[in-house]
Amino acid sequence: YWAWIKRVNVFHESLDFASLMSLNILFVVENNSYSVYSHIDKRQSTNRSAVKLAKAHGILAKKIDGNNIIEIYRKSKKILSHTKSPYLLELKTFRVLEHCGPNNDDNLNYRKKKEIEFWLKKCPIENYKKHLLRNKIITDKKINHMKIKINKEIMEAFEFAKKSSFPQKTSIMNYIYA
């Protein structure tokens, strides 16, 4: 509970400070409609939104499709190049896997199967890949080459971590700001 309160306070303080100082900053809120294992409307008022909260702090804000990579890029670029004050973008999206980790948690039944299927069709990675292929920006061969290279890097990092010794206890305070 207290960790949640602290995050809420940091969010509001950040918006308030950015507004007060007219900072040229872009806040990005990834709204996946869930708070841990509950739909967001079970945890907060349906009238509440990140856009409304930002506007209450005097910050321009807009909600856009968080699964449309091209729209996010264009909107972000426009905001960053034309706006000299704080702006908040709320990205409407969906968390396909579990709350904490890389696994599937559909067995918990807190999300409807049709909802998951709907959002899987809107997968930003797959849709952007189709866009790149359709517009001949990349080839399947290049994608496969990138996948192999990335997987190799990941496996090398895992092996390095497994072979590495734990840090010395004396290093616990290194790189601590305060």
Side-chain angles (χ1 to χ4, degrees), residues 9-171:
N9 286 342
V10 169
F11 175 75
H12 286 284
E13 286 291 331
S14 298
L15 293 180
D16 202 42
F17 184 77
S19 180
L20 182 66
M21 303 305 287
S22 298
L23 299 179
N24 185 12
I25 185 170
L26 175 61
F27 293 97
V28 179
V29 175
E30 184 180 290
N31 180 354
N32 67 28
S33 296
Y34 283 87
S35 178
V36 187
Y37 300 110
S38 302
H39 196 276
I40 202 81
D41 61 9
K42 290 186 179 7
R43 305 280 296 249
Q44 58 187 249
S45 166
T46 55
N47 291 327
R48 184 173 143 186
S49 76
V51 168
K52 287 180 183 178
L53 293 172
K55 288 180 178 179
H57 287 278
I59 294 176
L60 296 172
K62 184 173 185 164
K63 182 188 274 191
I64 64 172
D65 181 355
N67 283 27
N68 186 331
I69 294 170
I70 296 168
E71 181 183 10
I72 295 167
Y73 172 77
R74 287 182 181 147
K75 185 66 178 173
S76 300
K77 187 175 178 180
K78 183 178 178 185
I79 291 166
L80 293 171
S81 65
H82 293 91
T83 305
K84 299 299 178 218
S85 58
Y87 201 104
L88 182 139
L89 265 183
E90 181 179 353
L91 307 180
K92 181 67 177 139
T93 189
F94 187 76
R95 174 176 49 81
V96 176
L97 299 176
E98 66 185 333
H99 174 67
C100 296
N103 301 309
N104 190 308
D105 64 357
D106 297 345
N107 61 314
L108 300 176
N109 297 318
Y110 67 96
R111 301 181 295 179
K112 292 180 174 71
K113 191 171 185 84
K114 285 188 179 202
E115 180 183 28
I116 296 168
E117 289 169 358
F118 169 81
W119 283 98
L120 283 172
K121 290 176 188 163
K122 292 180 57 107
C123 174
I125 296 168
E126 285 303 314
N127 288 332
Y128 190 60
K129 180 177 123 180
K130 288 175 188 171
H131 165 81
L132 294 174
L133 290 167
R134 186 174 50 250
N135 290 291
K136 299 185 184 343
I137 297 168
I138 199 165
T139 63
D140 277 318
K141 185 177 178 181
K142 180 68 176 171
I143 291 171
N144 290 332
H145 175 73
M146 288 169 35
K147 283 181 183 178
I148 291 167
K149 185 178 176 188
I150 291 167
N151 285 331
K152 183 178 181 228
E153 281 183 44
I154 291 169
M155 294 314 294
E156 287 171 357
F158 271 112
E159 287 305 314
F160 175 79
K162 285 179 189 177
K163 291 177 183 174
S164 296
S165 56
F166 281 94
Q168 298 295 317
K169 288 180 182 177
T170 55
S171 70

